[in-house]
């Protein structure tokens, strides 16, 4: 295997299968040796043990973005590559028997954009529906990244700090569209706010949700009613 050669689907599939087997054993309290898995994959595909260990750290990262637990000792590594992220997510979904949603791929892009210098993203005025086992809107990860960065770890409704730090070391805030995408709202920074989970749920289900929504419009100059 040449140094730096792209990973094939067969390599990634075998690595995900080995990882998920270790993950199942870890969850069940069954003893296993990670190095045995690395060596078996290295012998099969001609890469080094270290290459497979690091790729499994990428899988831990994707698991984290999907809200899954990861194998102990395989700390999430973000440098997964834009081509490999959606493939690894799809393979994990296939292994679990779940439909692919692109959630991890989207969040991976958000984190990449957050690390770049701030710029005003144009967003999408009319997000398109994606069809699968369930339908969801194709959102712009730059919009979410910009809003989270602008919030600076504080809820834009109650001004309280993010309630906790995620496993990836990021302050946890949820992004909310004041006019929902299902109601024809845009996926833009002028229709989007970063909220703590309590305020987010209150804006959906609270008896005072209209008053809260109005207060946010008055508070944040970037917002535009749609």
């Amino acid at each position: 295997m040449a140094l730096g050669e792209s990973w094939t689907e067969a390599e990634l599939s075998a690595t995900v299968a080995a990882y998920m087997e270790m993950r199942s054993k870890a969850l069940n309290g069954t003893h296993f040796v990670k190095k045995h898995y690395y060596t078996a994959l290295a012998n099969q595909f001609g890469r080094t043990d270290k290459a497979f260990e690091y790729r499994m750290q990428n899988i831990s990262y994707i698991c984290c973005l999907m809200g899954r637990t990861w194998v102990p000792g395989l700390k999430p590594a973000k440098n997964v590559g834009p081509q490999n992220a959606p493939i690894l997510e799809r393979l994990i979904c296939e292994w679990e028997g779940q439909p692919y949603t692109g959630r991890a791929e989207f969040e991976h892009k958000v984190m990449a954009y957050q690390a770049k210098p701030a710029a005003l993203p144009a967003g999408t005025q009319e997000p398109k529906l994606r069809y699968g086992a369930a339908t969801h809107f194709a959102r712009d990860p730059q919009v979410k990244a910009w809003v989270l960065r602008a919030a600076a770890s504080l809820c834009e409704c109650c001004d309280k700090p993010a309630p906790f730090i995620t496993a990836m070391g990021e302050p946890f805030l949820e992004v909310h569209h004041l006019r929902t995408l299902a109601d024809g709202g845009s996926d833009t920074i002028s229709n989007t706010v970063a909220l703590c989970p309590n305020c987010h749920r209150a804006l959906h289900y609270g008896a005072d949700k209209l008053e809260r929504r109005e207060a946010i419009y008055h508070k944040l100059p970037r917002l535009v009613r749609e």
Side-chain angles (χ1 to χ4, degrees), residues 1-221:
M1 185 67 63
L3 184 64
E5 186 174 336
S6 297
W7 286 59
T8 65
E9 173 110 1
E11 288 178 304
L12 294 174
S13 180
T15 307
V16 167
Y19 182 97
M20 298 305 283
E21 182 178 319
M22 289 194 291
R23 181 175 176 271
S24 294
K25 288 183 177 180
L27 291 172
N28 293 331
T30 303
H31 175 72
F32 62 94
V33 179
K34 293 191 287 291
K35 183 171 175 52
H36 292 173
Y37 287 88
Y38 309 152
T39 301
L41 289 167
N43 291 337
Q44 181 179 355
F45 294 106
R47 294 185 184 271
T48 65
D49 289 18
K50 270 296 185 183
F52 285 101
E53 180 181 12
Y54 189 79
R55 184 58 74 194
M56 288 192 180
Q57 288 183 263
N58 291 153
I59 297 173
S60 290
Y61 169 67
I62 297 298
C63 284
C64 181
L65 296 182
M66 295 173 71
R68 311 289 200 271
T69 58
W70 63 81
V71 175
L74 286 171
K75 183 178 179 180
K78 299 179 182 179
N79 190 22
V80 62
Q83 302 301 319
N84 290 325
I87 297 174
L88 291 175
E89 180 181 6
R90 173 174 56 79
L91 291 170
I92 292 170
C93 290
E94 289 175 0
W95 195 92
E96 293 180 335
Q98 299 294 327
Y100 172 78
T101 64
R103 175 183 176 185
E105 179 186 6
F106 177 81
E107 296 298 339
H108 176 60
K109 290 179 179 178
V110 168
M111 295 187 71
Y113 284 126
Q114 280 187 274
K116 296 180 179 179
L120 289 175
T124 309
Q125 291 296 333
E126 297 180 4
K128 296 179 181 178
L129 279 171
R130 287 178 174 171
Y131 295 92
T135 58
H136 60 283
F137 288 95
R139 293 169 53 195
D140 186 344
Q142 294 184 78
V143 171
K144 180 174 180 179
W146 191 96
V147 171
L148 289 173
R149 190 166 50 235
S153 306
L154 299 177
C155 173
E156 292 188 299
C157 180
C158 68
D159 294 322
K160 293 181 180 178
F164 60 90
I165 301 299
T166 69
M168 296 307 300
E170 300 290 333
F172 183 83
L173 292 174
E174 298 175 340
V175 171
H176 172 75
H177 294 84
L178 290 172
R179 179 169 180 174
T180 67
L181 303 183
D183 288 335
S186 68
D187 185 27
T188 61
I189 63 170
S190 60
N191 187 45
T192 311
V193 292
L195 305 172
C196 68
N198 282 346
C199 287
H200 193 188
R201 293 299 92 192
L203 278 167
H204 279 288
Y205 304 113
D208 62 344
K209 63 182 180 182
L210 294 180
E211 290 82 358
R212 286 175 180 263
R213 187 168 178 264
E214 286 300 308
I216 293 174
Y217 273 125
H218 287 293
K219 179 181 179 183
L220 300 175

